[in-house]
Amino acid sequence: MNVSPSALSHSELYGLILNSVVPRPIAWVSTLSTSGQPNLAPFSFFNCVCIEPPLLAFAPGLRPPKQPDSSHGEAKDTLRNVRETREFVINVVTFELAETMNQTSGEYPASVNEFELAQIAPAPSKVVKVPRVAASPVSFE
């Protein structure tokens, strides 16, 4: 299959990429704002990219522009928190956590604590201030 990304709509390209790279792990990223407000959000663009040095990558997008004539959207809470605090935790999502994880995928105001919203317990991390998902079998700080 030969496809030119510029010939596809955003929705078509998104669908093609998401349905071609499988199985696709989900990064369930926990962060804290500078005021200490917890945030928990899933990212379907996530993977291990290098072992030396050990690197994981996830790709937080921008919210759509509020003004129709604007070309840039606003940073989502996760991206803003990471930029401001330089800390985050990537929690692995198991099948048993999938439905709970889906509850945290909404467009919520920054004041919403997704741990509380989804009724998922946080646990202290060892290296960073950001809490991890207690039920996740693997969390990368």
Side-chain angles (χ1 to χ4, degrees), residues 61-66 70-76 83:
L62 299 176
R63 287 192 171 97
K66 291 181 181 177
S70 175
S71 62
H72 299 289
E74 178 184 325
K76 292 185 177 184
R83 284 177 172 167

Side-chain angles (χ1 to χ4, degrees), residues 67-96:
Q67 304 297 326
D69 59 341
S70 175
S71 62
H72 299 289
E74 178 184 325
K76 292 185 177 184
D77 299 337
T78 300
L79 178 57
R80 187 189 65 252
N81 291 345
V82 170
R83 284 177 172 167
E84 291 176 357
T85 68
R86 316 295 275 175
E87 293 187 347
F88 60 94
V89 178
I90 294 177
N91 303 276
V92 171
V93 178
T94 62
F95 179 78
E96 294 77 22

